[in-house]
């Protein structure tokens, strides 16, 4: 009886001790959690095994998180060279039990330092050292070589009676080499001696490119054969500094003295680095405008430069756009306002005037050879008539005359916003002149106004409008009017004749065309 009581007391003491121990363990854990107020970013938890099958590398997922192929890459370092082996493409997931095999990724009979990385976080997941022995030859090939660049120093070598500068080359460690071909893309980083090697390449044509900070890309083509190594050595040259090319994109060919000249120039950085350059406009040797341009490598920009002409600038002037490394020139004719030209003829088809005409000269011009261009407003109380191989009235030009007759053996064009007007307005007896636009080829009077109307209190006679084309006639959105207004007034006729199609969408005719 006494012994039984003692055993119960011992059992109760042991239970109390265990209870206190559990309590202390729980409170310690909770206290640690409460005191630790900082949270760390979750990092991938994964285990992997590396195996070598001859020179093939196999990586097996043996535990932990499933990760995206796009986030994983293995790096193999052997014999001073490093090769990156991305898991993608193809895209997918590397989960428990999965494995990836990289053919001919290891160097036989050498120590291969293999590491698996989670690239977004930079976490090294697993690492191992493998020393594969020579095994069955894989049906793939390799590319190896060295990347070099110019040495910062140069040597002077005597050559006869003169000295020449010879630049030596040095290996470039840390350069990135990428090969792209039938098996996709693979890359490697050069070791201390500038050497690299990429194994496991399917046979075929490859493009090999090398880059390094501060150097331009160098590329070469290579043929990879089964069970063979192709050597590709590349030299990298330093990036060229910023270099600006310039060309004139547009400029006024003729201006009246006292009017400004606006010139548009396109500037392009054809160098290897970003840069800033002052682009200036010169007339003769005088600098008249400038703008500062900042461009990255390969970028281009169009800038506008301006020159204010003076009455003393009459004549042909040479304008130069200077970008420091390059310059472009053009010529501008500054016209005397007292004898202002309104038209010219281009006889040889080079777009440049061979002879210019004032408004009065245009009225008495008659037939000329070449392309007749009316580029400025015409206002005369005389009939204007001319015939040429081709006739163009430029956009926005207004021709106001007693009568107008243009005839072209080829095409005749009246530009958008242009106006041909022979209308008359009097108190008694207003007579408008006739307008004749005749083309042996196509006729275009699109979005232009042709008016031969007359208005008078008593007796108004509108002129006739004759539009003739041997080819097509484009009259879309045009306004054609030959109306007589007042007592005893008469409308003119509007006739349209074409050997091809006639387009009149959006056009208005008053009176209706015949």
């Amino acid at each position: 009886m006494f012994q039984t009581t003692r055993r119960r007391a011992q059992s109760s003491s042991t239970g109390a001790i265990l209870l206190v121990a559990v309590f202390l363990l729980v409170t310690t854990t909770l206290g640690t959690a409460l005191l630790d107020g900082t949270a760390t970013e979750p990092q991938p938890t994964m285990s992997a095994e590396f195996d070598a099958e001859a020179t093939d590398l196999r990586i097996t997922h043996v535990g932990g998180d499933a990760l995206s192929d796009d986030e994983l890459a293995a790096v193999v370092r052997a014999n001073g060279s490093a090769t990156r082996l991305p898991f993608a493409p193809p895209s997918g997931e590397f989960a428990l039990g999965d494995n990836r095999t990289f053919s001919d990724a290891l160097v036989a009979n050498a120590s291969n330092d293999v590491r698996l990385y989670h690239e977004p976080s930079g976490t090294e997941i697993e690492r191992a050292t493998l020393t594969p022995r020579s095994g069955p030859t894989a049906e793939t090939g390799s590319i190896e070589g060295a990347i070099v660049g110019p040495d910062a120093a140069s040597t002077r070598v005597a050559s006869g009676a003169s000295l020449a500068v010879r630049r030596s080359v040095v290996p470039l460690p840390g350069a990135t080499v990428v090969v792209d071909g039938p098996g996709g893309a693979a890359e490697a980083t050069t070791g201390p001696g500038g050497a690299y090697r990429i194994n496991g390449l399917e046979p075929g044509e490859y493009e090999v490119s090398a880059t390094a900070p501060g150097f331009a890309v160098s590329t070469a083509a290579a043929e990879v054969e089964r069970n063979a190594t192709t050597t590709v050595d590349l030299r990298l040259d330093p990036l060229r500094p910023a270099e600006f090319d310039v060309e004139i994109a547009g400029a006024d060919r003729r201006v009246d003295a006292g009017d400004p000249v606006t010139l548009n120039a396109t500037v392009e950085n054809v160098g290897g680095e970003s840069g800033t350059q002052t682009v200036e406009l010169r007339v003769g040797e005088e600098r008249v405008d400038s703008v500062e341009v900042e461009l990255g490598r390969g970028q281009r920009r169009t800038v506008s430069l301006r020159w204010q002409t003076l009455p003393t600038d009459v004549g042909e002037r040479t304008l130069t756009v200077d970008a420091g490394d390059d310059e472009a020139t053009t010529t501008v004719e500054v016209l005397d306002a007292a004898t202002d030209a309104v038209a010219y003829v281009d006889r040889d088809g080079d777009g440049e005037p061979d002879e210019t005409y004032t408004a009065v000269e245009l009225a008495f011009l008659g037939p000329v050879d070449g392309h007749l261009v009316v580029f400025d407003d015409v206002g005369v109380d005389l009939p204007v008539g001319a015939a040429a191989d081709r006739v163009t009235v430029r956009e926005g030009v207004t021709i106001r005359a007693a009568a107008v007759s243009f005839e072209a053996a080829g095409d005749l064009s009246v530009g958008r916003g242009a106006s041909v007007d022979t209308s008359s307005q009097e108190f008694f007896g207003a007579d408008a002149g006739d307008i004749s636009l005749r083309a042996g080829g196509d006729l275009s009077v699109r979005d232009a106004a042709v008016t031969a109307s007359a208005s008078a209190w008593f007796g108004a006679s509108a002129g006739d409008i004759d539009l003739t084309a041997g080819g097509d006639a484009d009259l879309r959105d045009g306004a054609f009017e030959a109306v007589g207004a007042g007592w005893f007034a008469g409308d003119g006729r509007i006739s349209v004749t074409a050997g091809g199609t006639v387009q009149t969408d959006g056009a208005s005719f008053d009176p209706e065309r015949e």
Side-chain angles (χ1 to χ4, degrees):
M1 188 70 177
F2 177 78
Q3 292 176 348
T4 301
T5 303
R6 193 176 65 179
R7 288 192 188 96
R8 286 179 179 175
Q10 290 174 346
S11 177
S12 299
S13 299
T14 302
I17 291 171
L18 291 173
L19 183 61
V20 170
V22 170
F23 174 77
L24 290 174
L25 178 62
V26 171
T27 54
T28 300
T29 304
L30 290 174
T32 301
L34 290 172
L35 290 173
D36 186 6
T38 61
T40 59
E41 291 293 329
Q43 295 188 350
T45 303
M46 192 190 97
S47 299
E49 288 184 352
F50 301 146
D51 296 301
E53 298 177 356
T55 56
D56 294 345
L57 171 64
R58 185 175 67 183
I59 302 177
T60 304
H61 191 302
V62 296
D65 298 334
L67 299 177
S68 170
D69 287 343
D70 296 323
E71 300 175 349
L72 295 174
V75 175
V76 178
R77 293 181 173 85
N79 294 338
S81 182
T83 303
R84 177 178 173 272
L85 306 171
F87 274 50
S91 297
E93 191 175 67
F94 191 53
L96 182 64
D98 291 344
N99 61 71
R100 296 287 186 275
T101 299
F102 300 93
S103 300
D104 205 15
L106 304 174
V107 179
N109 303 316
S111 178
N112 294 259
D113 179 31
V114 184
R115 305 186 188 191
L116 178 63
Y117 290 98
H118 179 253
E119 293 193 317
S121 65
T123 302
E124 180 183 293
I125 297 173
E126 204 73 66
R127 68 183 295 180
T129 301
L130 303 176
T131 308
R133 301 305 175 188
S134 298
T137 304
E139 293 296 311
T140 59
S142 303
I143 295 178
E144 68 177 12
I147 309 301
V148 298
D151 192 0
S154 48
T155 57
R156 299 175 77 76
V157 180
S159 175
S162 62
L163 291 177
V165 177
R166 177 185 298 166
R167 287 197 175 276
S168 59
V169 296
V170 294
L172 289 180
T176 300
V177 182
V178 177
V179 299
D180 192 1
E187 68 178 48
T189 302
T190 58
Y196 73 94
R197 181 181 177 88
I198 300 177
N199 301 315
L201 301 176
E202 294 183 17
E205 291 283 344
Y206 282 79
E207 181 182 77
V208 184
S209 62
T211 59
F215 292 87
V217 178
S218 180
T219 61
E223 174 76 22
V224 173
E225 298 179 353
R226 287 182 172 84
N227 309 321
T229 297
T230 302
T231 300
V232 179
D233 298 328
L234 293 173
R235 170 175 171 152
L236 303 186
D237 292 321
L239 288 171
R240 286 194 304 159
E243 181 179 343
F244 284 37
D245 279 357
V246 64
E247 64 178 20
I248 295 174
D252 299 324
R253 294 295 184 182
R254 283 175 189 75
V255 295
D256 292 336
D259 289 345
V261 173
T262 300
L263 185 148
N264 296 320
T266 300
V267 186
E268 181 178 9
N269 183 1
V270 297
E273 298 179 333
S274 299
T276 302
Q277 184 64 269
T278 298
V279 180
E280 65 179 32
L281 173 63
R282 296 197 309 269
V283 179
E285 297 300 322
E286 180 186 2
R287 173 173 164 172
V288 296
D289 197 9
S290 65
V291 61
E292 189 173 86
V293 178
E294 181 178 0
L295 294 175
R297 182 179 64 179
Q299 289 184 334
R300 60 167 50 197
R301 176 182 161 193
T302 299
V303 296
S304 292
L305 299 164
R306 187 174 182 273
W307 171 44
Q308 177 63 54
T309 66
L310 299 172
T312 55
D313 293 320
V314 171
E316 187 174 85
R317 298 292 177 178
T318 299
L319 277 61
T320 302
V321 180
D322 190 347
D325 304 305
D326 188 29
E327 63 181 34
T329 62
T330 187
T331 58
V332 173
E333 185 178 0
V334 182
L335 304 173
D336 187 345
T339 57
D340 194 3
V342 297
Y344 68 83
V345 65
D346 174 15
R347 295 192 176 92
D348 51 14
D350 63 355
E352 297 294 332
D354 294 305
E355 189 173 354
T356 59
Y357 309 103
T358 65
V360 174
E361 290 172 336
L362 184 63
F364 296 97
L365 186 59
V368 294
D369 294 328
H371 181 195
L372 177 65
V373 179
V374 183
F375 62 85
D376 206 351
D377 293 345
V378 177
V380 291
D381 293 327
L382 299 167
V384 171
D389 297 329
R390 179 180 164 199
V391 176
T392 298
V393 178
R394 286 189 176 168
E395 294 183 357
V397 168
T398 296
I399 299 177
R400 181 166 180 79
V404 174
S405 175
F406 286 135
E407 184 172 349
D411 296 340
L412 191 156
S413 173
V414 179
R416 294 190 176 193
S419 173
V420 180
D421 189 354
T422 61
S423 59
S424 174
Q425 186 173 7
E426 302 288 346
F427 187 74
F428 287 106
D431 291 317
D434 295 335
I435 298 175
S436 176
L437 304 177
R438 303 175 66 86
D442 294 336
L443 173 67
S444 176
V445 197
R446 184 175 181 179
D447 196 20
V450 179
T451 307
S453 294
S455 175
W457 183 79
F458 186 88
S461 177
D464 295 331
I465 298 175
D466 176 21
L467 306 173
T468 300
D472 298 332
D474 187 355
L475 311 179
R476 288 175 292 176
D477 301 316
F480 306 90
E481 181 182 299
V483 176
W487 290 93
F488 297 98
D491 294 339
R493 296 182 307 106
I494 301 177
S495 61
V496 179
T497 305
T501 60
V502 177
Q503 300 181 74
T504 60
D505 295 341
S508 62
F509 299 90
D510 191 6
E512 289 297 323
R513 67 186 180 94
E514 297 179 356

